[in-house]
Amino acid sequence: MAEINEFKINFLKADIEDLKTRIQNSRWPEKETVDDWSQGVPLDYLQDICGHWSSNYDWLKTQDRLNDIPQFKTDINGLSIHFMHVRSPHKNAKPILITHGWPGSIIEFLKVIEPLTEPTKHGGTEADAFHTVFPSLPGYGFSDKPKKTGWGVHEIAEAWDQLMLRLGYETYFAQGGDWGSAVTTGIGLQNKGSCQAIHLNMPNAGATEEAKQNPTEADKIAFKGASFYQQWDSGYSKQQSTRPQTLGYGLSDSPIGQCAWILEKFYQWTDCNGHPENVITRDELLDNITLYWLSNSGASSARLYWESFNKAFGSNNKETVDIPSGMSIFPKEIVPTPRAWAEKRFTNICYWNELDKGGHFAAFEQPELFVNELRSWNRSLR
C-alpha cells in the first residue's frame, strides 16, 4: 500500500515579493477599442485588480486557511496527487469525491466543505453528511505535473478510483463540473463497482435528432450557448488542446497574462450580471489565480486539454453511463444541457433539477444552492 502523507502549503514570502515585482514592472497593451468585454478583459479593470493584487492582497492568509484543512499527497501510477480530505463527525456519512476543472481549483470548494461535512450546523440533517475528498487534477495546484504523455481523463478517472479505495472507502460517490464532470463521467463509464452514483453540474451530451428537427425552448437555449461558445468563446480551448507549451511560456512569465487568461472566463461563465465580482469577491478570484501563478501551472493545466480534448467532451462519444446519475443544471452554464440530451448518454438519471441562478463555477458562485443540490441528489438515492 502506497503511503499517504500529510501536506502543508509553504510558498515563501520571496515568492510573493517576486509576484508583486513582476506586476509592478509589467508592460501593458493599449486600451481595447470597445466599451465592453467582447475583446477580452478591459484594461482599466485588469490594471485595477492587479494593482490590488500587488499592493493589498494577502496570499499568506489564504495559505493559512488552506493549511487548516487536512491535506495529503499520495503516489498513484508514478504521480504524487494532492487532495483535501475532510471527514464528517457523523458516522453514517457517505464518502464523496469532488473534482474541479479549468480554470478552477480546490479553492472553489472552500465555502462548501463544512456544510457538506457538518450539515446539522447548516440547515441539514445527519443523513445529509458526507466525508469529502477534493483532489487537485494532475498538473494543477499541488499535484505533480506529468513528465510524459498519458494523463488524460480516462487515466485520472482510474486514479481517482484508486485514491478512494486507498482511503478506505469501499464504496463512494463522485461529483464534478467542467473537467471534473468529464472525470466523474469517466468514473461512471468505467463502472468498476465502487462508485455507487455520480452527480454532475455540467453533463455533456450531444443533441438529439428531435432537438435538431423540432427544437424546444430548452433546445434553442442549448444550441445558442453552443454556437456562442464555438464562435466567440472557445479560443482558449483550441490553444490549450493544440499548443499548450507555446501558451505556457507567457502564462509562466507574466502574472497579468495568467490573471487575464483566467479572469475572462470567470466573467463569461458566471451568472454575474456583467461583472465577476458581483458573485465572487475580488480576493476569492485572486486566491484561485494566485494558486495557478505560485504553482506555475499555466502550461501543465493547459496540457490536460491536449491529452483529453475531443476524447472526453466529444458529442460523438456513444458510450453510456448506467450507474445512478444526478444532474443540476445552472442557467448560465456554457451549454445548459436539456434532459432529453442527457438521457441519451446517462441511462439512469435519478435526480434532475434546473435552477434559476448560477453558472459554471457552481460551488464558488452559489455555495448554498450547490450544497442543497447535493443533498437533494443524496436523498434521491435513499
Side-chain angles (χ1 to χ4, degrees):
M1 178 70 71
E3 290 185 352
I4 298 173
N5 298 307
E6 291 187 7
F7 174 79
K8 294 290 186 182
I9 305 165
N10 188 31
F11 290 120
L12 304 176
K13 289 185 178 180
D15 299 321
I16 311 301
E17 291 306 313
D18 176 69
L19 167 61
K20 292 179 178 180
T21 298
R22 286 171 180 266
I23 295 171
Q24 292 162 1
N25 290 338
S26 293
R27 183 175 69 164
W28 297 87
E30 67 281 359
K31 185 177 174 61
E32 64 279 1
T33 57
V34 293
D35 59 2
D36 56 25
W37 287 63
S38 61
Q39 292 183 356
V41 184
L43 177 64
D44 289 347
Y45 176 53
L46 192 62
Q47 288 181 325
D48 183 41
I49 194 171
C50 285
H52 175 75
W53 198 12
S54 67
S55 300
N56 301 312
Y57 170 77
D58 184 3
W59 164 259
L60 295 178
K61 179 179 177 181
T62 298
Q63 181 167 287
D64 289 342
R65 182 184 176 195
L66 286 165
N67 281 336
D68 285 338
I69 300 167
Q71 297 177 79
F72 306 88
K73 296 190 80 171
T74 190
D75 186 278
I76 302 178
N77 299 334
L79 212 63
S80 183
I81 298 297
H82 165 265
F83 59 98
M84 301 188 297
H85 182 200
V86 185
R87 292 183 58 86
S88 172
H90 303 298
K91 66 177 183 178
N92 292 323
K94 295 178 178 177
I96 188 169
L97 170 76
I98 301 180
T99 308
H100 68 87
W102 184 92
S105 68
I106 57 168
I107 296 288
E108 293 180 64
F109 304 117
L110 295 182
K111 292 179 283 190
V112 304
I113 295 174
E114 186 174 280
L116 290 174
T117 57
E118 301 188 56
T120 55
K121 293 182 178 180
H122 297 270
T125 68
E126 287 191 16
D128 296 321
F130 291 100
H131 300 306
T132 57
V133 179
F134 303 90
S136 296
L137 290 166
Y140 289 68
F142 309 109
S143 285
D144 278 2
K145 300 176 173 71
K147 295 180 178 179
K148 58 183 180 180
T149 60
W151 273 96
V153 162
H154 176 81
E155 292 78 15
I156 296 170
E158 290 191 334
W160 278 193
D161 188 70
Q162 290 185 49
L163 172 62
M164 295 302 281
L165 295 175
R166 187 174 297 177
L167 291 173
Y169 298 125
E170 295 181 1
T171 61
Y172 66 91
F173 300 83
Q175 197 283 331
D178 195 83
W179 281 115
S181 172
V183 171
T184 303
T185 299
I187 292 170
L189 285 167
Q190 291 169 9
N191 197 9
K192 291 177 177 288
S194 296
C195 183
Q196 302 299 291
I198 64 172
H199 178 274
L200 308 172
N201 55 282
M202 195 188 90
N204 181 260
T208 64
E209 289 304 315
E210 176 65 20
K212 296 173 185 177
Q213 299 299 322
N214 186 28
T216 65
E217 188 60 31
D219 295 329
K220 291 176 182 178
I221 292 171
F223 283 133
K224 183 178 179 181
S227 177
F228 177 85
Y229 178 80
Q230 289 299 327
Q231 186 172 2
W232 293 106
D233 197 29
S234 59
Y236 79 98
S237 65
K238 191 66 173 178
Q239 181 69 21
Q240 295 193 155
S241 62
T242 58
R243 299 294 185 270
Q245 190 69 19
T246 301
L247 172 67
Y249 297 116
L251 298 182
S252 295
D253 190 58
S254 169
I256 65 165
Q258 179 70 88
C259 182
W261 192 246
I262 291 176
L263 193 59
E264 190 265 322
K265 293 307 168 198
F266 275 87
Y267 158 78
Q268 192 64 58
W269 294 347
T270 55
D271 188 5
C272 66
N273 194 29
H275 201 291
E277 292 182 30
N278 287 336
V279 290
I280 302 173
T281 69
R282 175 169 290 200
D283 279 0
E284 287 173 338
L285 291 166
L286 288 173
D287 287 341
N288 183 62
I289 292 166
T290 305
L291 179 55
Y292 273 81
W293 173 260
L294 291 176
S295 62
N296 195 12
S297 297
S300 55
S301 62
R303 204 167 285 122
L304 179 57
Y305 286 74
W306 188 91
E307 291 280 0
S308 303
F309 216 67
N310 300 322
K311 299 175 185 177
F313 285 131
S315 60
N316 292 326
N317 192 331
K318 303 297 184 183
E319 294 178 284
T320 59
V321 178
D322 300 322
I323 69 172
S325 304
M327 317 279 173
S328 297
I329 309 301
F330 290 84
K332 290 294 287 185
E333 185 54 82
I334 300 169
V335 179
T337 303
R339 180 162 185 161
W341 300 19
E343 286 175 342
K344 285 194 341 176
R345 192 175 190 195
F346 301 89
T347 63
N348 188 5
I349 295 178
C350 62
Y351 177 77
W352 182 275
N353 190 32
E354 298 174 17
L355 294 99
D356 60 5
K357 64 180 178 180
H360 187 69
F361 305 94
F364 213 5
E365 298 176 55
Q366 299 293 341
E368 290 186 13
L369 290 180
F370 179 83
V371 168
N372 286 337
E373 286 302 290
L374 293 198
R375 289 177 182 173
S376 296
W377 161 66
N378 180 18
R379 291 164 188 161
S380 77
L381 299 169
R382 295 173 193 166

